[in-house]
Amino acid sequence: STQGYSSAASDVYKRQFLTGAEYWYIRNILVFYLAFYVVYRLSDRSWVRMLLIAVCLTAYSGLLIWQGRALFWYISNVTFLFGMLLAQYERQLLKAAGFLYPLQLLALAVGMYFVIKTGLEGYTVIPPLEEKIRSGLLAGLIWTYLMVQGCAFLHEKIRWLEAVGSFSLELYLCHMFVFYRVVNDWLPQQENVVQIVVAVTIAVALAWVIHMLFDLLWNCLLYTSDAADE
């Protein structure tokens, strides 16, 4: 019956919502932010923190693979660990790799293209899971290193990215929602370039507004707390 079908569809949607199927990237980042907080509370030694995060990342990604989640659920999880390593050892890494920037960037760009073409693009015959995971890990490593070296090489020309970095979390959390709305609902007949420009503009503006609102809320809470203490 129609009622039975609606009830079943509602149950499926509730399960998808509770398991994060519709907002996988938000669920992943919340899991790793929680792990980040716990790990930094447990130890003061940087190498222990990195090791514990690596264990958490491996266990969580293994769980996602065991559950049969799609590749995008876990393929980029390793970049969270790469980000922590860079934040901790950025000066040493850049000093060790601070030579021949243009050639490094060219080699990294070629490597990124090769990884995407050989392991991540769609195929008539889907490659084995191990091959897809390997290609995804390589892509994450190469992309992270490419961005770090690119930012170091073009530091003076991309200072505006520092401003974007102040609300990068909000941008990350809302970009996909905005993109799908623009492409599927708001401007489905427009050219891809127009859709991308509109989606990026709206996502950046929305993320900045959310960031400012939370900053305002936080400052109000701090002011109220300080006033109460006095």
Side-chain angles (χ1 to χ4, degrees):
S1 66
T2 304
Q3 185 176 1
Y5 176 79
S6 299
S7 176
S10 177
D11 290 341
V12 170
Y13 180 78
K14 288 177 182 177
R15 284 197 298 272
Q16 289 179 334
F17 181 81
L18 292 174
T19 57
E22 300 297 333
Y23 52 95
W24 59 270
Y25 55 100
I26 298 178
R27 170 179 146 173
N28 279 6
I29 202 170
L30 289 176
V31 168
F32 287 122
Y33 271 33
L34 177 61
F36 179 87
Y37 177 81
V38 172
V39 163
Y40 270 70
R41 285 286 185 177
L42 289 176
S43 176
D44 293 329
R45 297 183 179 182
S46 58
W47 69 270
V48 175
R49 290 170 171 173
M50 304 304 155
L51 179 61
L52 290 175
I53 281 292
V55 171
C56 293
L57 186 149
T58 303
Y60 180 62
S61 298
L63 174 64
L64 295 174
I65 295 172
W66 177 76
Q67 290 178 336
R69 299 290 186 183
L71 190 67
F72 55 77
W73 271 81
Y74 50 83
I75 204 64
S76 60
N77 288 351
V78 70
T79 54
F80 192 88
L81 176 61
F82 292 159
M84 288 184 60
L85 289 169
L86 286 170
Q88 185 68 43
Y89 305 111
E90 181 179 9
R91 184 175 300 176
Q92 298 92 314
L93 290 171
L94 287 178
K95 183 178 180 181
F99 59 90
L100 298 177
Y101 278 125
L103 290 180
Q104 283 194 53
L105 295 178
L106 178 61
L108 289 167
V110 171
M112 192 71 193
Y113 176 82
F114 174 78
V115 169
I116 292 174
K117 282 294 182 182
T118 57
L120 297 180
E121 276 197 336
Y123 291 94
T124 304
V125 179
I126 300 176
L129 178 62
E130 295 79 8
E131 182 179 336
K132 292 192 292 184
I133 293 175
R134 182 203 64 201
S135 298
L137 293 177
L138 282 174
L141 178 60
I142 294 173
W143 176 255
T144 302
Y145 188 63
L146 175 63
M147 290 299 99
V148 171
Q149 291 292 57
C151 289
F153 181 59
L154 303 170
H155 180 69
E156 296 300 325
K157 298 180 180 180
I158 56 174
R159 285 187 175 276
W160 58 273
L161 282 177
E162 295 178 6
V164 177
S166 66
F167 56 91
S168 59
L169 174 60
E170 293 86 348
L171 183 59
Y172 179 77
L173 294 179
C174 73
H175 78 284
M176 187 171 290
F177 172 82
V178 171
F179 176 78
Y180 283 132
R181 289 298 177 274
V182 170
V183 172
N184 297 323
D185 299 333
W186 300 340
L187 300 173
Q189 305 300 325
Q190 293 293 331
E191 297 291 332
N192 290 342
V193 174
V194 175
Q195 292 176 333
I196 291 172
V197 170
V198 172
V200 169
T201 302
I202 295 176
V204 170
L206 179 61
W208 181 80
V209 169
I210 293 173
H211 176 74
M212 294 301 294
L213 289 175
F214 272 92
D215 259 4
L216 180 62
L217 176 61
W218 182 249
N219 289 333
C220 289
L221 290 174
L222 288 178
Y223 177 79
T224 303
S225 177
D226 291 341
D229 291 338
E230 293 176 1

